[in-house]
Amino acid sequence: MNTAGHSEATARRGLELTPFRGLRYDPDRVGSLAAVTSPPYDVVVRPDGLHHLQSNDPHNIVRLILPQATSPAARNEQAAATLHRWLAEGVLAADPVPGLYVYEQRDGAGMLQRGIIGALRVSDPADQVVLPHEDVMPHVVADRAALMRATSANLEPLLLTYRGNGTAADTTTVVERTAGQEPLLSTTTEDGYSHRLWSITDPADLARIQSDLARHQALIADGHHRWATYRRLRAEHGSPSPWDYGLVLLVDTARYPLRVRAIHRLLHGLPVADALASLDGLFRVRRLDGPLPEALEVLADAACAGNAFLLAGDGAFHLVDRPDPDLLARTIPADRPAAWRTLDATVLHATLLPHVWHIPENDPTRIAYIHDTAATVRKAERDGGTAVLMHPIREEVVRDLARQGVTMPRKSTSFGPKPASGLVLRTLEL
């Protein structure tokens, strides 16, 4: 966010980050910290990823964030009972004093990300303190709200970003000094990422961070549905209450830039042959016989020139580009900025899904959203559906639209790396 954005944020109430008593696994009561962690709930590829994580350790966090039972009510009751049992058994324990948490992630390629985990005051989009950039699906918000109500907990942090000025501001100074100390925990997950966590409890450091963040606004990088859930639960409980706050990870992307990746679509019940036949005369279609990495390179080149997608599921890849301008003019709303009208996600959700393939985007039985590219292709081939592979949107486009108050189609972006679930939780009962 630029200098003008900073001055606007200063005039408003900015980010209000509050210490909390984090719930953390007792390493002596679990197989390993890595074995009890998980990606965020919406990244776990079901059922393969879920079963794998459940088998890693009987206390894996997926038993809380993705409980398995015969009905939604039973799932949420099971998660609540599991959480209370783990607390009673000492598997999870609250830290003795409230703090903010420095969280660090590294990979083998030299990527380093650090941020602050805390309880952030929940605000509305009109406040321009936390900026959403994607629409949400009501049924997902309802599902997450029911789980949070049942457990009275924030089980995993959202990923929010803000833009510092690129220098060692107050928050960054405290973060980097803290990262030179002995961590509360250190583990490496099977994806090769190392994770470290520290607690900040010194009143002077806490005040320094809070004063600095109060001058900033944040962009939701990952967790739109959980942020909408926080807002719903705050409204239900009224203020003041513990529901006025929600668990987040805040990263200064001027200091630690995130990666932006695409989220792909899996269309159930639509064979690739039928999907391609529907495009005749509306898009250019070319078959690609190379492997996935080469097909993605072709997609990237095509995306530089205009809207482009890769369809897969029949053992080959099909580049779909050059949409008919008249089709776009008929189907894409004209009352949005040009940057929104020309998004691949906009063309997919405003044109392809409703008008070409006749698939309702709100029907989870017809469309799934998957982060892993190869997994999307495998599932399409196995299930006889169509994988729609997307090219990622540039971060500056996301921020520009968010500042204008324009939300993109749901699941348009995947910022990362995402915080691992299971390293620190927040209960609303402390």
Side-chain angles (χ1 to χ4, degrees):
M1 291 163 195
N2 57 24
T3 303
H6 284 162
S7 63
E8 292 170 9
T10 303
R12 298 184 298 268
R13 183 186 73 204
L15 299 168
E16 184 181 326
L17 196 67
T18 301
F20 69 104
R21 291 179 62 193
L23 292 184
R24 296 188 295 111
Y25 281 100
D26 182 342
D28 293 332
R29 294 180 177 266
V30 297
S32 73
L33 289 175
V36 295
T37 64
S38 163
Y41 79 98
D42 57 338
V43 180
V44 177
V45 180
R46 300 194 204 194
D48 322 57
L50 181 66
H51 293 160
H52 173 68
L53 290 166
Q54 284 180 327
S55 64
N56 275 354
D57 190 285
H59 300 108
N60 190 283
I61 192 67
V62 294
R63 297 179 187 276
L64 299 182
I65 63 175
L66 289 172
Q68 300 298 294
T70 55
S71 70
R75 289 197 295 269
N76 296 326
E77 291 171 5
Q78 178 178 294
T82 300
L83 176 59
H84 292 146
R85 185 175 71 254
W86 289 356
L87 287 168
E89 295 172 350
V91 173
L92 286 170
D95 283 328
V97 295
L100 298 176
Y101 295 83
V102 172
Y103 176 48
E104 175 189 279
Q105 292 166 278
R106 291 179 183 264
D107 69 5
M111 185 286 304
L112 169 64
Q113 177 175 291
R114 290 180 180 142
I116 293 279
I117 295 176
L120 183 69
R121 179 177 285 278
V122 178
S123 58
D124 294 320
D127 297 330
Q128 290 280 292
V129 175
V130 174
L131 303 174
H133 69 267
E134 289 183 356
D135 292 332
V136 297
M137 293 173 275
H139 74 278
V140 178
V141 176
D143 175 75
R144 290 294 102 184
L147 178 63
M148 287 189 204
R149 281 191 213 100
T151 58
S152 292
N154 301 150
L155 299 172
E156 44 187 348
L158 285 63
L159 175 59
L160 306 184
T161 72
Y162 70 98
R163 297 288 291 177
N165 59 13
T167 64
D170 285 347
T171 299
T172 303
T173 298
V174 177
V175 165
E176 295 184 353
R177 171 164 42 83
T178 303
Q181 301 168 6
E182 188 70 19
L184 291 174
L185 65 86
S186 178
T187 190
T188 300
T189 46
E190 61 183 17
D191 58 6
Y193 279 89
S194 66
H195 308 261
R196 297 199 295 171
L197 191 77
W198 299 259
S199 178
I200 300 173
T201 57
D202 178 75
D205 283 342
L206 293 174
R208 195 173 179 185
I209 291 170
Q210 290 172 317
S211 175
D212 180 39
L213 292 177
R215 298 193 293 266
H216 292 279
Q217 58 184 176
L219 176 75
I220 301 177
D222 185 66
H224 282 82
H225 290 92
R226 283 166 286 164
W227 182 254
T229 301
Y230 289 170
R231 292 180 50 227
R232 174 183 289 193
L233 293 172
R234 179 198 59 173
E236 288 178 3
H237 288 82
S239 294
S241 85
W243 298 96
D244 289 343
Y245 297 84
L247 187 63
V248 306
L249 166 64
L250 276 167
V251 174
D252 176 3
T253 52
R255 194 75 167 178
Y256 301 104
L258 271 67
R259 298 168 177 167
V260 186
R261 294 192 170 104
I263 301 176
H264 310 295
R265 277 66 171 160
L266 175 60
L267 308 181
H268 300 294
L270 179 67
V272 175
D274 293 349
L276 294 173
S278 301
L279 298 173
D280 187 36
L282 302 177
F283 286 77
R284 183 176 70 168
V285 178
R286 288 182 287 162
R287 179 187 173 100
L288 309 176
D289 291 316
L292 178 57
E294 290 183 11
L296 291 174
E297 289 180 7
V298 175
L299 174 63
D301 290 341
C304 292
N307 299 118
F309 311 88
L310 273 182
L311 303 192
D314 62 350
F317 298 101
H318 308 270
L319 180 68
V320 174
D321 65 353
R322 297 189 185 180
D324 173 36
D326 291 338
L327 173 67
L328 300 185
R330 292 195 308 271
T331 56
I332 294 180
D335 60 347
R336 303 287 185 90
W340 180 89
R341 296 197 307 271
T342 55
L343 291 171
D344 289 338
T346 296
V347 173
L348 176 61
H349 284 264
T351 303
L352 281 167
L353 289 176
H355 295 285
V356 178
W357 293 325
H358 307 291
I359 294 177
E361 64 174 352
N362 290 327
D363 186 352
T365 67
R366 298 296 309 280
I367 181 169
Y369 299 83
I370 304 177
H371 294 72
D372 186 279
T373 309
T376 311
V377 175
R378 287 196 303 270
K379 290 172 80 68
E381 292 177 344
R382 183 185 66 197
D383 301 341
T386 295
V388 182
L389 306 183
M390 313 280 286
H391 185 67
I393 301 167
R394 299 192 317 277
E395 182 178 359
E396 56 266 31
V397 173
V398 176
R399 290 188 180 277
D400 183 58
L401 288 172
R403 288 193 197 103
Q404 297 177 58
V406 178
T407 54
M408 299 189 298
R410 60 200 55 172
K411 300 293 184 183
S412 293
T413 59
S414 175
F415 284 85
K418 303 178 191 305
S421 298
L423 296 180
V424 61
L425 294 66
R426 173 179 177 250
T427 177
L428 281 76
E429 296 179 342
L430 288 178

